Amino acid sequence: MNRTIVVTGAAAGLGEGIARRLAHDGFEIAVTDRDAEGAERVAESIRLTGRRASAYLLDVTDPSNVNKVINRVAAEQPSLYGLVNNAGIGTAIGFLDLSLGDWERIFAVNSTGTFLVSQAVLRHLAEKREGTVVNISSIAGKEGYPNWVHYGSTKHAIIGMTRGLAREFGSLGIRVNAVCPGAIKTAIWSAEAQGTDNPDQLFQDLASRTALQRNQSVEEIANATAFLVGDNASSISGVSLSVDSGLLFS
Ligand SMILES: NC(=O)c1ccc[n+]([C@@H]2O[C@H](COP(=O)([O-])OP(=O)(O)OC[C@H]3O[C@@H](n4cnc5c(N)ncnc54)[C@H](O)[C@@H]3O)[C@@H](O)[C@H]2O)c1
């Protein structure tokens, strides 16, 4: 197999885990992030395992950077086959304290970023009439959480995009799905991002509401993403798969 997958926000957290897992499965990885050094560190560590990966500086909010980088990946790697839209940001803010700037900033990364990178990659996949896209949404894309209205709105938008794209590109043999993680200890669960001195309390509260009575690991999100990217999911398109230890049941 010689197929390349672009992973956004792959310098840390879930994106890094997804890049590592897809590389392990035999895909060549375009490790992209706005953090160029982090992306290079992840690509280098994948290469040290004998797998193939290259790093690219890609800020999903910058249309000219997105188009330039994706065209470069497609030129350097004609085996371009897929995309995981993982780059995302989130900070807890009460709705009445949200500024228009806060709202626009999170939409720029989470939703518009997913649109821009998807469009750039799908132009290439549509020509080849093959490929797959997996969007990282959230349980907040299916349910409401106080202080996360702005974040949840971006994640609902991602599920809407997933469904529309699955219909628009399905006749070309291109599958589009989403993964909706629950809670995984990454930077998004820092005290700063959660706006509380005790982010562990919130983290544990969420775990206690799941069927399995625990939150998830980076590897569990990467496993579900790799399943949807891979050929074992050849007849699955348009789904938004919750990977949440049985929190939502949907
Ligand atoms: N961790 C969780 O509990 C959780 C739960 C549900 C969904 N998610 C989603 O998973 C995805 C990854 O989150 P994470 O927890 O790994 O966060 P993280 O902060 O650990 O990693 C996010 C990565 O995205 C990159 N990034 C941010 N803005 C970018 C931009 N404009 N362009 C390119 N890269 C950018 C960062 O540099 C970083 O490497 C996000 O979309 C997040 O909303 C996370």
Side-chain angles (χ1 to χ4, degrees):
M1 176 172 56
N2 184 25
R3 296 189 290 188
T4 295
I5 309 290
V6 175
V7 184
T8 68
L14 301 184
E16 175 177 355
I18 290 165
R20 289 184 188 287
R21 171 62 210 249
L22 289 170
H24 176 79
D25 286 358
F27 290 102
E28 181 152 354
I29 310 299
V31 179
T32 75
D33 204 289
R34 69 175 172 187
D35 168 6
E37 269 179 34
E40 183 48 46
R41 180 184 54 77
V42 171
E44 175 62 15
S45 72
I46 289 174
R47 289 193 294 266
L48 286 173
T49 68
R51 306 290 176 170
R52 288 160 304 172
S54 310
Y56 299 86
L57 168 62
L58 187 149
D59 181 339
V60 301
T61 66
D62 178 346
S64 71
N65 175 229
V66 167
N67 286 320
K68 214 163 77 186
V69 170
I70 296 303
N71 289 339
R72 202 180 122 206
V73 172
E76 289 175 359
Q77 305 189 30
S79 58
L80 176 59
Y81 177 76
L83 165 67
V84 178
N85 279 305
N86 163 81
I89 56 171
T91 306
I93 308 174
F95 187 69
L96 297 181
D97 293 326
L98 261 185
S99 69
L100 180 58
D102 294 329
W103 181 266
E104 289 177 343
R105 200 167 308 117
I106 197 164
F107 266 84
V109 179
N110 296 7
S111 304
T112 309
T114 297
F115 153 64
L116 289 172
V117 186
S118 296
Q119 191 181 56
V121 170
L122 280 163
R123 284 192 207 290
H124 295 282
L125 303 188
E127 261 178 33
K128 298 200 261 186
R129 301 177 76 87
E130 65 167 14
T132 186
V133 176
V134 176
N135 298 320
I136 306 301
S137 176
S138 168
I139 49 170
K142 294 180 171 180
E143 177 53 284
Y145 293 95
N147 303 320
W148 291 88
V149 172
H150 53 314
Y151 178 80
S153 301
T154 68
K155 294 298 186 177
H156 275 74
I158 288 172
I159 291 179
M161 236 184 293
T162 301
R163 292 175 172 170
L165 289 174
R167 291 256 179 241
E168 188 159 339
F169 289 89
S171 61
L172 298 178
I174 296 169
R175 298 181 300 105
V176 184
N177 293 291
V179 169
C180 298
I184 307 94
K185 264 283 164 56
T186 64
I188 233 170
W189 281 95
S190 66
E192 193 191 1
Q194 293 292 323
T196 164
D197 289 342
N198 192 2
D200 277 350
Q201 180 66 48
L202 281 172
F203 194 71
Q204 291 315 327
D205 284 352
L206 216 44
S208 69
R209 287 194 268 139
T210 66
L212 297 177
Q213 294 289 294
R214 64 171 179 82
N215 288 321
Q216 305 82 52
S217 65
V218 169
E219 290 72 24
E220 287 174 316
I221 306 305
N223 288 343
T225 305
F227 166 68
L228 288 174
V229 167
D231 293 337
N232 285 337
S234 56
S235 192
I236 299 178
S237 196
V239 308
S240 297
L241 179 65
S242 298
V243 186
D244 62 356
S245 309
L247 179 71
L248 298 183
F249 285 5
S250 75

